[in-house]
Amino acid sequence: MSADALLEVRDLVMHFPVRGGVLNRVQRRVHAVNGVSFDVRRGEVLGVVGESGCGKSTLGKCLIRLLSPTAGSIRYEGTDLAALGHGDLMPFRKKMQMVFQDPYSSLNPRMTVREAVREVALFHGVVSRDAADAYVSELIQKVGLRADAADKFPHEFSGGQRQRIGIARALACKPDLLVADEPVSALDVSIQAQVLNLLMDLKDELGLTVVFVSHDLKVIEHFCDRVLVMYLGNVVEELDCERLHADARHPYTRALLGANPINDPADRRPLTVLEGDVPSPFTLPPGCAFAGRCPVVEPRCRAQRPPLELKTCGHAVACLLEPGA
Amino acid sequence: MSATRTKAVLEVRHLTTGFKTDRGVVTAVDDVSFDLYPGETLGVVGESGCGKTVTSKSIMRLLPEHLTIYGPASEVRFEGENLAFASEERMRRVRGDKVAMIFQEPMTSLNPVFTVGWQLDEALRYHTDLDARGRRQRAIEMLRLVEIPEPERRVDEYPHQLSGGMRQRVMIAMALCCEPDVLIADEPTTALDVTIQAQILQLMANLKERLSTAIMLITHDLGVVAQVCDRVLVMYAGRVIESGTVAEIFHAPRHPYTRALLDSIPKSGARAHKKRLPTIPGIVPSLFELPAGCRFQDRCAYKERRCVDAEPGLEGALGGRQVRCHFPLDGGAA
């Protein structure tokens, strides 16, 4: 689409088969991601927001090929990652890293911080064995930990510090792209602010491109340049974060904004309450996935699936009721 | 909140809760006092480990008795009776009937091998004189009250058949089936999506309105506090460090910690977009190694000699504006 795209995702589909029965046949499929297309621009922070089960984490894992998508393409500087095998992917693994939500379960409890970070750097050949120790020490200080942290084990750290270790580990192979899956969701607000600031500084310093997956619209709005709003495996809206409040047009995005409590007792308003439940990801409705909960639903919404259409520059909406540009 | 207050339904005084550990006794809640009035929502906020959950479980006496030590001056007065040292038999009569609690994890707090109806019935069997048919009617009524669709069918379903939001609504139905005077909600919406959170908060507001239940809402989400609470207690490392009305706390915080906590939340709008967030340096002190002076001293921007030497007392009248700081802020707009 554009020259500055680091990653071009087209019609990405990820279905998980559910096996069962006597013959262990595939009985049904979880439709986690259903044909999603977007670009990740070089140097931007792209937010992915949605409720649990909307496919945002699956999408993040597909982007860096921790999962092999069922269909669609993920072009990284022109190469389709979705088509590559294990060996051919190796050079790209180095360029894309992930920061996970729970920094405790994603760090090996038997490895010191130094070992965990050094392993990544040496495996990808970023530094020589002799220079590794100095490299690790530098990295540890860069993420705001004291130098003596290097020889401690993960259990000796608090949640916020562990997340810093997770970030140091992800940065050890000098990636271009960082996929952060709910990196601050498990942290207290004061610690959350520390980690967000760190990510912001590192992004500027190292020129990273970040895909930031979160359920928290406040954090997304603060931290990201653009946001993809997902609902049941589809992107329903894509727009600039700065214009989120003013311009959001999809009824689901509006509902998310309205359900988010505002931090001001002087500005009390009834929170937007949606009726109905999220449809099952096993059998998707034929029309708009949001039709069952949408406050402005029309009969045609239940029959026809709305495509994600560009409305104005940089703003795309998947809703039949939104007139085109 | 009305100026002429009715009598407090719950009076907590000098509540001190310690735990026996391998490293000696650790005091998780230290001299906490507050009143809870009918029809009000009191927010208790603070970060992990500040003692907010232990406070609520101490009131309900749900902590392991053999590991827990309550300070001798502790009082949890409900209708004049001190429950802090009441017998287990007495507590069984109070719990679920007069004082009820909603927990954060609806899946682990519901029994997976019994139907929703059975679990609602348990409290009714124990606390009411209704016969089996009456109790079933009441259970269905309660499910309808918490807006569960098709309550006649759902009453015979098991917890795993319900969504997370519905399970939390079942928890609320269980907590409210005997019309308690006090509802303690410990992070009731933390595990839920925002759209479901909005449903639960609205539901709690409606119930408070109808039954004039007093609600103690424990949360770390300041947005939720701003939207639904009347008064707020801010806790830090086992102590109450500030209290006041929700407007006072948000618009004129006096403790540096409260102020810093409010500042560190990401703000909406273009003005704050992509700016660095103000942070609180360091982490909460370990309860095993509390400093001699103010517990917030190592993270405070206004620390002085006196803060290291002596811990400040909680100044101000109980139930009014209170702050625990030697050098409180003048309370300018945050």
Side-chain angles (χ1 to χ4, degrees), chain A residues 17-317:
Chain A
V18 177
R19 290 173 182 278
V22 182
L23 299 172
N24 203 31
R25 286 204 176 123
V26 174
Q27 292 193 316
R28 45 186 189 169
R29 293 168 186 281
V30 177
H31 298 67
V33 177
N34 300 302
V36 164
S37 301
F38 60 92
D39 287 353
V40 183
R41 298 174 198 152
R42 193 179 292 279
E44 78 168 342
V45 183
L46 177 67
V48 182
V49 73
E51 294 178 286
S52 39
C54 74
K56 56 189 191 300
S57 288
T58 303
L59 178 66
K61 285 179 182 160
C62 284
L63 289 187
I64 66 166
R65 276 297 305 274
L66 287 182
L67 293 170
S68 300
T70 313
S73 65
I74 305 164
R75 292 196 171 273
Y76 184 93
E77 293 180 328
T79 313
D80 185 4
L81 301 180
L84 293 184
H86 182 74
D88 293 331
L89 266 174
M90 264 317 149
F92 294 96
R93 294 256 180 246
K94 177 179 160 183
K95 297 184 176 176
M96 308 180 295
Q97 286 290 310
M98 189 145 186
V99 177
F100 297 91
Q101 170 170 6
D102 181 351
Y104 197 65
S105 61
S106 53
L107 290 169
N108 187 334
R110 297 179 185 217
M111 278 179 139
T112 62
V113 174
R114 183 188 304 284
E115 286 163 357
V117 177
R118 187 169 57 186
E119 182 186 45
V120 180
L122 288 179
F123 179 81
H124 288 292
V126 178
V127 286
S128 67
R129 206 158 273 280
D130 300 333
D133 266 354
Y135 178 74
V136 171
S137 300
E138 187 196 322
L139 205 53
I140 284 170
Q141 281 169 44
K142 194 176 270 178
V143 297
L145 291 170
R146 294 221 313 258
D148 64 358
D151 296 307
K152 291 184 181 169
F153 288 92
H155 72 89
E156 296 177 76
F157 295 94
S158 67
Q161 288 172 319
R162 268 183 232 145
Q163 198 53 285
R164 288 173 191 269
I165 299 167
I167 293 168
R169 193 165 189 266
L171 294 177
C173 59
K174 302 188 174 168
D176 296 328
L177 176 71
L178 206 60
V179 175
D181 188 2
E182 304 268 13
V184 297
S185 305
L187 308 174
D188 277 318
V189 267
S190 74
I191 309 298
Q192 176 179 304
Q194 292 175 4
V195 173
L196 284 175
N197 283 348
L198 173 70
L199 280 172
M200 211 177 276
D201 293 344
L202 291 170
K203 184 208 155 271
D204 290 343
E205 191 186 329
L206 307 173
L208 295 169
T209 305
V210 183
V211 175
F212 191 94
V213 178
S214 177
H215 71 281
D216 189 336
L217 211 49
K218 277 179 196 154
V219 172
I220 291 265
E221 198 191 344
H222 175 82
F223 188 69
C224 300
D225 298 306
R226 287 191 306 139
V227 62
L228 304 179
V229 182
M230 285 189 75
Y231 188 80
L232 212 69
N234 291 306
V235 172
V236 298
E237 186 154 18
E238 174 183 345
L239 79 166
D240 287 347
C241 277
E242 273 186 282
R243 304 211 314 262
L244 183 60
H245 275 273
D247 290 0
R249 281 156 78 178
H250 195 283
Y252 178 64
T253 315
R254 300 255 37 122
L256 271 187
L257 287 167
N260 234 318
I262 302 160
N263 290 314
D264 184 358
D267 187 6
R268 283 199 179 175
R269 49 183 82 176
L271 298 172
T272 308
V273 174
L274 290 173
E275 303 292 330
D277 278 310
V278 185
S280 157
F282 291 112
T283 44
L284 295 179
C288 175
F290 188 57
R293 302 170 80 194
C294 184
V296 293
V297 64
E298 291 183 5
R300 59 179 166 144
C301 300
R302 302 190 195 274
Q304 192 186 343
R305 186 173 152 182
L308 186 67
E309 283 178 344
L310 207 60
K311 301 298 176 186
T312 55
C313 180
H315 187 178
V317 186

Side-chain angles (χ1 to χ4, degrees), chain B residues 105-246:
Chain B
E105 291 270 335
M107 195 62 222
T108 54
S109 333
L110 290 171
N111 192 331
V113 301
F114 291 107
T115 62
V116 164
W118 192 93
Q119 298 185 57
L120 278 160
D121 191 53
E122 193 179 17
L124 293 168
R125 216 161 43 224
Y126 199 78
H127 295 298
T128 67
D129 303 326
L130 296 170
D131 62 2
R133 182 179 297 180
R135 293 198 306 266
R136 186 179 165 83
Q137 274 311 311
R138 179 112 179 103
I140 292 171
E141 229 172 80
M142 287 314 295
L143 292 179
R144 188 171 292 125
L145 185 72
V146 295
E147 291 158 27
I148 286 192
E150 302 175 75
E152 294 84 359
R153 184 167 69 83
R154 293 291 184 182
V155 75
D156 294 319
E157 289 194 342
Y158 290 88
H160 73 89
Q161 292 170 290
L162 307 176
S163 68
M166 274 202 259
R167 280 181 214 139
Q168 194 56 288
R169 275 178 272 174
V170 168
M171 281 292 294
I172 295 178
M174 281 171 67
L176 294 177
C177 65
C178 297
E179 303 195 349
D181 299 316
V182 175
L183 179 66
I184 300 177
D186 187 359
E187 305 267 13
T189 59
T190 302
L192 305 176
D193 282 315
V194 277
T195 57
I196 311 296
Q197 166 173 286
Q199 290 177 4
I200 301 288
L201 292 176
Q202 194 194 44
L203 179 69
M204 284 172 57
N206 292 347
L207 294 169
K208 183 178 84 164
E209 197 79 6
R210 278 179 50 182
L211 306 171
S212 117
T213 314
I215 300 177
M216 180 174 160
L217 178 68
I218 293 157
T219 180
H220 69 280
D221 188 331
L222 292 161
V224 171
V225 174
Q227 290 296 312
V228 307
C229 292
D230 301 308
R231 287 189 305 131
V232 183
L233 288 186
V234 185
M235 291 187 69
Y236 189 79
R239 291 278 203 197
V240 173
I241 55 120
E242 184 162 6
S243 75
T245 65
V246 68

